[in-house]
Amino acid sequence: MVQYAARLDAAWIAHLLAEERRTPTLLQLHHVPPRLGNPGIDALGVPAADRHALATALSAAPNVLAVVAGHVHRAIVAELAGRPVAAVPSTYLQAVLDFTSERIHMRADPGGFAVHAFRDGVFTTHLQRVGAPAEGVEGNPLDVVQV
């Protein structure tokens, strides 16, 4: 049985979003809510019931422009309830793109971060790579054991 590490309190999020429906809002979460197609990462992701409850909350909050998150150590763009979802890379190791393995493999690719901007009524996310691959880490994938 898969154990999820990313429970969301969607009712609390819905309550917060309902307090102000006019202000353009960026929802920042740690875990990326949609499934990403990588079995290892998805096993640690948001459970389906929480994901559906969050989608319902987003559908009722037209002022939410986007959802941003991290945790997956990759730059990924997805969608939930018609909103873009952007995951940002890690500042250290990056997860290898793998649609078949239930293990998460990490590689010393360059790190990165995101700058989110809301200017002139337009929301944008800029991904910025930084530096060379992590120091002291070989270029071969590292195995990361799931707990």
Side-chain angles (χ1 to χ4, degrees):
M1 175 184 262
V2 174
Q3 295 294 317
Y4 291 96
R7 296 302 314 261
L8 287 177
D9 187 344
W12 177 74
I13 293 171
H15 172 76
L16 291 177
L17 294 176
E19 288 181 354
E20 175 55 63
R21 296 263 195 237
R22 293 174 301 201
T23 302
T25 302
L26 174 66
L27 180 60
Q28 168 66 53
L29 302 171
H30 180 74
H31 290 270
V32 181
R35 293 184 56 83
L36 302 174
N38 179 314
I41 291 173
D42 285 342
L44 298 175
V46 175
D50 292 353
R51 182 172 46 257
H52 295 307
L54 179 61
T56 299
L58 289 173
S59 295
N63 59 311
V64 176
L65 303 174
V67 178
V68 296
H71 187 71
V72 295
H73 289 249
R74 292 194 55 75
I76 299 172
V77 177
E79 177 272 334
L80 182 67
R83 304 310 193 294
V85 177
V88 299
S90 167
T91 56
Y92 184 49
L93 298 175
Q94 307 308 313
V96 173
L97 179 61
D98 187 340
F99 295 113
T100 60
S101 179
E102 293 188 12
R103 295 184 66 120
I104 300 170
H105 299 278
M106 304 299 278
R107 185 177 11 239
D109 290 340
F113 62 93
V115 175
H116 307 291
F118 185 71
R119 300 176 55 99
D120 301 323
V122 177
F123 171 77
T124 57
T125 294
H126 300 266
L127 296 175
Q128 179 65 49
R129 292 288 181 187
V130 292
E135 294 279 331
V137 179
E138 298 298 321
N140 297 326
L142 301 173
D143 286 331
V144 176
V145 178
Q146 297 178 14
V147 290

